[in-house]
Amino acid sequence: MKALALWFWLTKSEDNMSIKSTDERYVAHTYKRFDLAIVSGSGSLCYDDSGKEYIDLTSGIGVNAFGYADPVWAEAVAGQAKILQHTSNLYYTAPCAELAEILCTRTGMSKVFFSNSGAEANECAVKVARKYAAEHKGSEYYNIITLNKSFHGRTLTTLAATGQANFHEKFTPLTEGFLYVDANDTEGLKKLVGENKVAGILIETVQGEGGVNALEPDFVRAVDDICKENDIIFMVDEVQTGNGRTGKLYSYMHFGVQPDVVSTAKGIAGGLPMGATLMSEKCADVLGYGDHGSTFGANPVCAAAAISVMNRMDDKFLSEVTAKGDYIRKRIEGAGYAVSGLGLMVGITPKKPVSEVIAECMDKGVLCLSAKEKLRLLPPLNIPMELLEKAVDIIVEALE
Ligand SMILES: *Cc1c(COP(=O)(O)O)cnc(C)c1O
């Protein structure tokens, strides 16, 4: 028995060596990975190649809404894969139509364009704003205003939209026509709108990568008002905040505002690549035949996955997300640390370097993220309370 266990251990750790060394040798070094190879998962738990168990509070960066290998999700994916995996957008398919109907019905938006990522969803939003402005006000109205510390993606246009200069260096010239203002600076925004020809304003209601910074509700409403007064397209980037993450289906629903365009991705298909750009009645017909496209957009397998995700996000489920977020907030604030964010999008300000907290959590079997200097938690939305409690115990220990 012992020899067998040892043999397993040795071959497993060789696997690890070879995963790591092969990856290091052949995969572009754009990611500074942790020294951890994840081989399987179930719900909110995952396992490394030595069999060590982790409570995962990262969800693949807000993607696995129902955790790993969720049975309902897996059945939706596998079932669709056995019927029709792809046809191209030259033909109608049922999952695409059904998902678009669900999204429009639940948001009051009128039309959806499907793509494969958050950056693409934002790229489409920018195209909608520019085309609307060109047709209604003139093509010189091309500027898009975004916020400092925002994050909107890695393509050259969404990098331009990202209000962080360090992301821009080395890749100039970026797409022209982006202007930036500080979050919550209503006067600054009014000034920028007054002095420039503006097509659209793009915000995250909670800046994710920028440090889990929730905007002030008054500012979100002011952006809505300014857009309505000036016939400017109001765009909300719900790539991270969307699909139940903040305790509402989409985070703008917390603020009593009605965006013209909502972009989303990450959690929408529960772990498969999908982006969606939702357009209100005002800009429903801005994009016409040939104006935009995506080979994989609304791929039937991804769309079937998204339908299964959406169908489970009812009011009861969303109120549980809120309750779990409140639980984390109470425990962490009770331990003496500042907490930011909304719902299960949580930022914690540690009193030591965040990398140390993450390393200690990992050692003790909990996976966490960072956002700037903060510890960031994006747990699966259906994480069981007992696992959440156990994970928060470990985080509190690691923060000390
Ligand atoms: C992750 C993220 C993006 C980029 O999404 P990709 O799928 O990586 O292109 C854009 N906006 C926000 C708010 C995000 O969190």
Side-chain angles (χ1 to χ4, degrees):
M1 260 323 273
K2 264 193 180 158
L4 192 63
L6 182 66
W7 178 81
F8 264 114
W9 183 80
L10 282 172
T11 50
K12 288 275 186 184
S13 60
E14 258 172 38
D15 272 357
N16 186 17
M17 280 296 291
S18 94
I19 294 169
K20 264 168 56 183
S21 60
T22 308
D23 184 300
E24 292 286 329
R25 168 73 182 77
Y26 293 109
V27 178
H29 286 182
T30 60
Y31 305 105
K32 188 92 190 71
R33 300 193 203 279
F34 289 102
D35 186 11
L36 178 63
I38 296 178
V39 295
S40 68
S42 172
S44 297
L45 298 171
C46 64
Y47 302 90
D48 71 11
D49 52 318
S50 74
K52 182 175 168 183
E53 182 178 276
Y54 299 85
I55 303 173
D56 185 348
L57 303 185
T58 75
S59 308
I61 318 191
V63 167
N64 301 333
F66 290 90
Y68 292 104
D70 174 85
V72 174
W73 175 87
E75 189 51 44
V77 171
Q80 184 60 44
K82 288 176 198 165
I83 298 169
L84 184 79
Q85 87 278 27
H86 181 80
T87 61
S88 89
N89 280 305
L90 297 174
Y91 310 105
Y92 296 102
T93 59
C96 172
E98 189 185 334
L99 177 61
E101 182 182 26
I102 292 171
L103 290 169
C104 289
T105 305
R106 295 195 63 184
T107 57
M109 302 299 267
S110 295
K111 289 257 188 317
V112 189
F113 178 85
F114 290 111
S115 53
N116 317 285
S117 67
E120 286 171 278
N122 286 330
E123 192 92 19
C124 176
V126 169
K127 284 179 79 169
V128 170
R130 285 206 169 154
K131 186 155 183 258
Y132 177 92
E135 287 173 352
H136 290 79
K137 303 196 285 188
S139 58
E140 69 279 19
Y141 281 80
Y142 57 71
N143 290 294
I144 308 286
I145 299 178
T146 68
L147 302 182
N148 288 320
K149 296 193 185 165
S150 59
F151 182 82
H152 298 296
R154 302 287 197 155
T155 64
L156 289 172
T157 295
T158 56
L159 270 184
T162 294
Q164 302 187 58
N166 58 313
F167 280 100
H168 298 176
E169 287 157 15
K170 294 179 256 173
F171 300 107
T172 51
L174 303 178
T175 303
E176 273 178 57
F178 285 84
L179 305 166
Y180 315 97
V181 67
D182 282 345
N184 305 317
D185 181 5
T186 304
E187 289 315 307
L189 179 61
K190 282 182 182 162
K191 192 159 174 279
L192 217 48
V193 166
E195 291 170 356
N196 296 278
K197 294 184 170 27
V198 177
I201 302 178
L202 173 64
I203 62 166
E204 301 155 88
T205 61
V206 183
Q207 296 183 323
E209 307 302 314
V212 201
N213 312 308
L215 299 187
E216 288 166 12
D218 281 348
F219 180 71
V220 176
R221 286 188 280 268
V223 175
D224 189 33
D225 290 343
I226 291 167
C227 286
K228 302 261 172 342
E229 282 158 22
N230 295 279
D231 197 17
I232 287 170
I233 299 296
F234 176 27
M235 298 173 278
V236 183
D237 177 346
E238 300 258 13
V239 172
Q240 194 161 148
T241 54
N243 315 302
R245 176 57 55 189
T246 70
K248 298 270 189 196
L249 192 60
Y250 291 97
S251 72
Y252 75 82
M253 295 170 174
H254 288 282
F255 304 97
V257 296
Q258 190 54 59
D260 300 306
V261 177
V262 171
S263 55
T264 192
K266 287 198 167 86
I268 189 170
L272 286 181
M274 169 167 277
T277 308
L278 282 62
M279 291 158 275
S280 71
E281 196 55 39
K282 174 169 166 161
C283 38
D285 299 318
V286 171
L287 295 180
Y289 296 125
D291 280 339
H292 204 35
S294 167
T295 298
F296 281 112
N299 168 276
V301 175
C302 299
I307 290 167
S308 87
V309 166
M310 283 296 140
N311 284 343
R312 296 162 80 185
M313 290 193 181
D314 56 14
D315 289 346
K316 180 169 171 287
F317 181 81
L318 294 172
S319 70
E320 286 164 9
V321 169
T322 301
K324 286 171 195 169
D326 289 347
Y327 169 80
I328 299 175
R329 193 157 291 112
K330 221 176 250 160
R331 286 279 318 272
I332 302 293
E333 282 176 353
Y337 301 89
V339 179
S340 65
L342 204 55
L344 280 178
M345 188 168 173
V346 179
I348 300 168
T349 306
K351 292 171 186 169
K352 60 186 176 191
V354 65
S355 57
E356 286 176 24
V357 182
I358 289 176
E360 198 175 325
C361 285
M362 192 187 290
D363 191 46
K364 291 177 172 164
V366 174
L367 301 182
C368 304
L369 297 161
S370 65
K372 300 280 181 268
E373 73 293 346
K374 285 183 195 164
L375 188 69
R376 175 172 49 149
L377 311 179
L378 296 171
L381 302 180
N382 67 339
I383 186 170
M385 262 326 277
E386 60 273 20
L387 282 183
L388 188 58
E389 285 166 15
K390 202 167 143 190
V392 171
D393 287 344
I394 289 169
I395 290 170
V396 169
E397 270 176 46
L399 283 166
E400 271 160 19

